[in-house]
C-alpha cells in the first residue's frame, strides 16, 4: 500500500521501494480454498519471495537511436490534455482501453459512451481512435447536445430504460457497435440494463466496459446477476472472455478473438488449483499466473463466473481521498482522487477469464490508481 506521500512521489516519478507483498486479505470465502489447502494468507506469507527487478536495457549516451513513432495512446492523450472540455477517468481504465481499443485505431468503427458529461472523453476517443470512429454519446443532460458534430451523435435518455436502448440501436446506430463504455449512473440496475441491452448489439469481438464499480456490495447486486446473463451467452457461444480490473468489468463478444488480442508479459506459470495459484503469485511479480483445470469444465458458466466474481471482489474495494478535499462533489477543474489500495489491489492488476483458463496478472511495480480531472470547461453534475 502506497501512503499519501508515496503516491505524491509516484506522480513526480520518484523511484519507490517495493510494496510489502506479505499476504492476501484473509477474508476470501472459504469454499474457494480446497480442503486441505493452505489459505492464501499463509501461502503468500510463507513464500518469502521478493519481487525481482524487471530487466532494463541501457543505451550508451554516445549512440544515436532512432525510435519509430508510437501511436497515440489513451494514457498519453490523457496525461497531456490540459485545456478544453473536461474529462475524468480512472488511470487503470485508460490502461485497459489501450489494450482493448487502441488496436482498432484508424479503422472504421462505432463507439458509444454512456455519461459523456463535460465532453472531454469525446475528444479523447476521436484523438486516439481516429477520424473513422463515429462516437455515440448518451446522457441525461440536454446540455451535452453541444458536442454534436458530423462524427458525434448525441442521444438524451435514461440508460435504465430498455425502450431507450431499443430505439437507440434501431433509429440511431442502425447497426451493431464495436464498443460501449458505461460511465453513467453506476447503479447496479442501470449497469445490468445496459449490459443486457448492449451485448447482443456488439459486433463480433466487440466489447462492453462498465466503469466505476466501487465496493464489494456490487457482488450481489450486480456481479451475480451479470454472471447469470453472461453465463447464458457463453452457453450459446456468444461470449469470448470476461476481464476484471479494479472498478471495471469488460465483456468481449465472441466471433473475432484476433481483432484485439490481449498479450501477457513477464514470467509465467500454469497451475491447476487455487492453492497453487496463491503460492505462484509471489514468484511472478510483473508476470502472470494461468489457472487451468479440465476437470472443472468450462470457466465461462454462471457458476464459474459467480465463483470468480466472489473470489476477486476485493479488486473493487473502494477507499479513496480527494485533493483538494471535497472537490469530487463539485465541478472544480482541479481535482485528484487517489485510491488507498487494499492488499489485493496492490498485488493483482487484472483477472482475465477465458473459456478454459483464467489469467491473473501480478503487479510488477507499486500500483497507483487515481483519477485526475483534465480540461478547463466543466458542466455541473
Amino acid at each position: 500500500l502506497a501512503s499519501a506521500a508515496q503516491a505524491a512521489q509516484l506522480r513526480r516519478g520518484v523511484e519507490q521501494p517495493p510494496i510489502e507483498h506479505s499476504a492476501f486479505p484473509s477474508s476470501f470465502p472459504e469454499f474457494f480454498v480446497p480442503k486441505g489447502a493452505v489459505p492464501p494468507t499463509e501461502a503468500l506469507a510463507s513464500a518469502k519471495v521478493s519481487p525481482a527487478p524487471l530487466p532494463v536495457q541501457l543505451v550508451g549516451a554516445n549512440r544515436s537511436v532512432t525510435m519509430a513513432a508510437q501511436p497515440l495512446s489513451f494514457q498519453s492523450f490523457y496525461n497531456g490534455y490540459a485545456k478544453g472540455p473536461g474529462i475524468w477517468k480512472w488511470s487503470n481504465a485508460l490502461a485497459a482501453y489501450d489494450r482493448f481499443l487502441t488496436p482498432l485505431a484508424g479503422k472504421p468503427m462505432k463507439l458509444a459512451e454512456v455519461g459523456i458529461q463535460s465532453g472531454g472523453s469525446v475528444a479523447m476517443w476521436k484523438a486516439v481512435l481516429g477520424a473513422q470512429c463515429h462516437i455515440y454519446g448518451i446522457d441525461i443532460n440536454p446540455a451535452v447536445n453541444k458536442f454534436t458534430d458530423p462524427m458525434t451523435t448525441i442521444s438524451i435518455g435514461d440508460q435504465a430504460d430498455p425502450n431507450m436502448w431499443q430505439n437507440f440501436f434501431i433509429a440511431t446506430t442502425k447497426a451493431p457497435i464495436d464498443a460501449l463504455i458505461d460511465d453513467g449512473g453506476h447503479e447496479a440496475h442501470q449497469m445490468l440494463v445496459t449490459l443486457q441491452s448492449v451485448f447482443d448489439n456488439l459486433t463480433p469481438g466487440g466489447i462492453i466496459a462498465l466503469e466505476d464499480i466501487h465496493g464489494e456490495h456490487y457482488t450481489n447486486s450486480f456481479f451475480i446477476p451479470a454472471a447469470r446473463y453472461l453465463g447464458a451467452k457463453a452457453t450459446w457461444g456468444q461470449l469470448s472472455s470476461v476481464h476484471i480490473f479494479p472498478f471495471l468489468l469488460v465483456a468481449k463478444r465472441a466471433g473475432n478473438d484476433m481483432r484485439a488480442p490481449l498479450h501477457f508479459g513477464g514470467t509465467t506459470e500454469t497451475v491447476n488449483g487455487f492453492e497453487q495459484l496463491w503460492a505462484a503469485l509471489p514468484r511472478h511479480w510483473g508476470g502472470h499466473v494461468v489457472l487451468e483445470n479440465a476437470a472443472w469444465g468450462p470457466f465461462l458458466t454462471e457458476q464459474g463466473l459467480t465463483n470468480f466474481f466472489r473470489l476477486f471482489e476485493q479488486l473493487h474495494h473502494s477507499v479513496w481521498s480527494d485533493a483538494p478535499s471535497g472537490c469530487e462533489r463539485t465541478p472544480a477543474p482541479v481535482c485528484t482522487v487517489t485510491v488507498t489500495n487494499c492488499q489485493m489491489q496492490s498485488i493483482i492488476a487484472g483477472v482475465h477469464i477465458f473459456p478454459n483458463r483464467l489469467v491473473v496478472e501480478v503487479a510488477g511495480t507499486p500500483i497507483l490508481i487515481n483519477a485526475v480531472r483534465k480540461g478547463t470547461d466543466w458542466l455541473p453534475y
Side-chain angles (χ1 to χ4, degrees):
L1 174 66
S3 67
Q6 288 174 322
Q9 284 181 314
L10 280 171
R11 287 192 291 272
R12 294 194 300 269
V14 179
E15 184 178 356
Q16 295 297 305
I19 294 175
E20 278 294 326
H21 299 289
S22 59
F24 268 119
S26 59
S27 58
F28 283 121
E30 289 188 2
F31 68 87
F32 287 110
V33 182
K35 185 177 180 181
V38 179
T41 301
E42 296 178 19
L44 280 178
S46 62
K48 297 181 180 178
V49 177
S50 299
L54 298 177
V56 177
Q57 183 176 6
L58 299 179
V59 179
N62 60 340
R63 293 186 181 180
S64 174
V65 179
T66 301
M67 300 290 291
Q70 295 298 312
L72 183 65
S73 70
F74 290 107
Q75 294 175 89
S76 60
F77 171 88
Y78 197 91
N79 292 336
Y81 189 71
K83 186 177 181 179
I87 181 173
W88 203 18
K89 294 287 187 185
W90 288 102
S91 54
N92 67 310
L94 296 170
Y97 298 150
D98 276 331
R99 302 174 72 178
F100 288 101
L101 294 176
T102 52
L104 308 180
K107 303 173 184 177
M109 67 174 296
K110 295 183 176 183
L111 179 144
E113 181 178 24
V114 180
I116 63 171
Q117 185 56 19
S118 296
S121 59
V122 173
M124 179 180 73
W125 306 127
K126 289 181 177 182
V128 177
L129 297 177
Q132 298 188 77
C133 178
H134 194 110
I135 310 298
Y136 295 88
I138 302 170
D139 209 291
I140 59 174
N141 186 355
V144 304
N145 278 314
K146 68 180 183 179
F147 301 118
T148 300
D149 65 32
M151 291 298 288
T152 305
T153 302
I154 303 298
S155 298
I156 304 301
D158 179 4
Q159 72 175 117
D161 181 4
N163 293 325
M164 186 282 293
W165 285 111
Q166 183 177 18
N167 183 68
F168 175 74
F169 287 111
I170 292 175
T172 303
T173 69
K174 301 177 183 179
I177 61 175
D178 301 290
L180 181 128
I181 311 298
D182 180 4
D183 193 9
H186 312 305
E187 296 292 334
H189 71 284
Q190 296 171 318
M191 293 189 293
L192 281 169
V193 170
T194 300
L195 174 63
Q196 294 163 356
S197 300
V198 170
F199 190 84
D200 284 341
N201 290 286
L202 293 173
T203 56
I207 67 160
I208 178 171
L210 301 115
E211 298 183 350
D212 289 294
I213 310 174
H214 292 281
E216 293 91 332
H217 64 280
Y218 277 107
T219 299
N220 290 326
S221 63
F222 171 69
F223 281 104
I224 303 309
R228 187 176 307 119
Y229 175 80
L230 292 172
K233 292 300 174 184
T235 300
W236 300 330
Q238 297 174 355
L239 178 67
S240 173
S241 55
V242 174
H243 310 267
I244 311 168
F245 305 92
F247 319 134
L248 178 69
L249 178 69
V250 177
K252 185 174 184 179
R253 188 172 172 85
N256 190 354
D257 289 346
M258 297 309 295
R259 188 179 190 185
L262 290 185
H263 301 282
F264 304 104
T267 61
T268 187
E269 180 177 344
T270 299
V271 299
N272 64 3
F274 292 114
E275 175 187 0
Q276 293 82 9
L277 175 66
W278 313 138
L281 293 179
R283 293 195 288 269
H284 299 285
W285 305 118
H288 61 283
V289 178
V290 180
L291 174 63
E292 294 179 346
N293 192 320
W296 292 359
F299 282 17
L300 292 175
T301 62
E302 176 184 348
Q303 187 58 59
L305 289 171
T306 296
N307 289 348
F308 292 129
F309 286 157
R310 288 195 184 279
L311 180 60
F312 296 103
E313 68 179 1
Q314 289 188 28
L315 284 177
H316 312 296
H317 185 72
S318 189
V319 175
W320 67 54
S321 59
D322 59 351
S325 179
C327 65
E328 65 168 306
R329 297 180 179 87
T330 75
V334 177
C335 186
T336 297
V337 175
T338 302
V339 172
T340 300
N341 293 352
C342 69
Q343 286 181 304
M344 181 177 283
Q345 289 167 331
S346 294
I347 296 169
I348 295 178
V351 177
H352 310 274
I353 311 167
F354 300 96
N356 298 302
R357 75 187 195 281
L358 176 141
V359 179
V360 178
E361 291 184 288
V362 189
T365 57
I367 293 179
L368 173 65
I369 305 173
N370 67 3
V372 182
R373 280 186 185 161
K374 294 287 188 172
T376 51
D377 306 328
W378 290 84
L379 295 177
Y381 287 97

